[in-house]
Amino acid sequence: MTHGGPALRILAFDTATSAITAAVRDGDQVRAEEAVLDNRRHTEALAPVIERVLTASGTRMTEVTHIAVGIGPGPFTGLRVGVVTALVLGSALQVPVHGVCSLDALAEALAGRHDGDLLVATDARRTEVYWARYAAAEGHATRVTDPAVTKPADLPPDARTLPCAGRGPLLYPDILVNAVAPQDVSAGVLAALAASEIHRGVRTEPVPMYLRRPDAQEPAAPKPALPTSGRP
């Protein structure tokens, strides 16, 4: 589909699943995309992946017009790396940063091959999944439930048998019995979702969907002896 107006050069990336993935979308075409499977080294892996897709697409950083970033839901540390990187780059380049629900990108990729109800379930650790339900038609997915985190066995019974993208079915095959690709987010699909919002004049804030508190908690600060004004 060709849209009017200036061409977009979108740098998109996601760190909410096991894949650290980045892509450059120029106009209506993904010029370069790469994914590295490593759910423990998001900080070290993201910058080199971004650099390689920029090089492969023949794009200078100053040519990027928008940044799109997956906002989860996802584990705290990995998700934070992606969102913070997007905000820093957006500020440095003075370009808009668009958030995209990572589950939506998985569903959109599946919708190209499946019409009807479908499920996305990703690894939330702690023997839980992040999940949402979708309706797919004409190659696009519409989310019909809010993203949530739960034990796989606590999902609605009818949802457990739906075609399910994400790594949830690989981790819990006895419960999520209808595993389908993809297992991880495609940055190219994420960029396409961001482009659709941009052309419609919509912007999703790049605020991470944590859904629960991080595993590691910082020690609470000592309580002041006297009330302190001006603090949240």
Side-chain angles (χ1 to χ4, degrees):
M1 181 184 299
T2 301
H3 300 279
L8 305 177
R9 188 78 64 98
I10 300 174
L11 170 63
F13 47 90
D14 185 277
T15 57
T17 64
S18 299
I20 299 100
T21 177
V24 173
R25 179 183 171 96
D26 184 7
D28 291 331
Q29 183 177 358
V30 174
R31 295 288 185 181
E33 181 171 1
E34 182 179 335
V36 174
L37 290 177
D38 191 335
N39 61 4
R40 299 292 180 183
R41 296 180 59 253
H42 296 87
T43 301
E44 297 88 345
L46 180 58
V49 171
I50 290 173
E51 183 176 355
R52 287 195 293 269
V53 295
L54 288 169
T55 300
S57 67
T59 300
R60 294 188 297 270
M61 186 68 82
T62 54
E63 295 176 311
V64 171
T65 64
H66 298 75
I67 292 172
V69 63
I71 57 173
F76 182 87
T77 302
L79 181 55
R80 183 176 181 275
V81 168
V83 173
V84 169
T85 299
L87 293 172
V88 169
L89 287 176
S91 177
L93 299 172
Q94 292 296 289
V95 299
V97 179
H98 297 261
V100 178
C101 174
S102 304
L103 302 183
D104 291 358
L106 281 160
E108 187 75 2
L110 175 56
R113 303 186 301 274
H114 175 83
D115 281 340
D117 292 342
L118 56 91
L119 190 73
V120 173
T122 63
D123 183 14
R125 303 175 187 169
R126 304 188 198 176
T127 67
E128 294 180 326
V129 292
Y130 296 115
W131 71 281
R133 189 167 180 163
Y134 294 81
E138 299 181 352
H140 297 287
T142 301
R143 185 165 11 111
V144 296
T145 65
D146 289 334
V149 59
T150 191
K151 300 284 186 185
D154 292 335
L155 286 166
D158 65 323
R160 298 178 214 161
T161 60
L162 293 175
C164 184
R167 293 192 172 265
L170 304 184
L171 295 169
Y172 309 102
D174 295 338
I175 301 171
L176 301 171
V177 297
N178 195 354
V180 292
Q183 279 78 51
D184 296 296
V185 171
S186 159
V189 173
L190 191 144
L193 289 174
S196 177
E197 284 201 350
I198 293 166
H199 286 301
R200 290 184 284 115
V202 176
R203 178 172 176 267
T204 298
E205 292 291 334
V207 177
M209 296 182 183
Y210 291 128
L211 300 191
R212 68 182 183 204
R213 298 179 66 82
D215 292 318
Q217 296 290 328
E218 294 183 3
K223 293 184 179 180
L226 297 172
T228 302
S229 61
R231 290 188 178 181

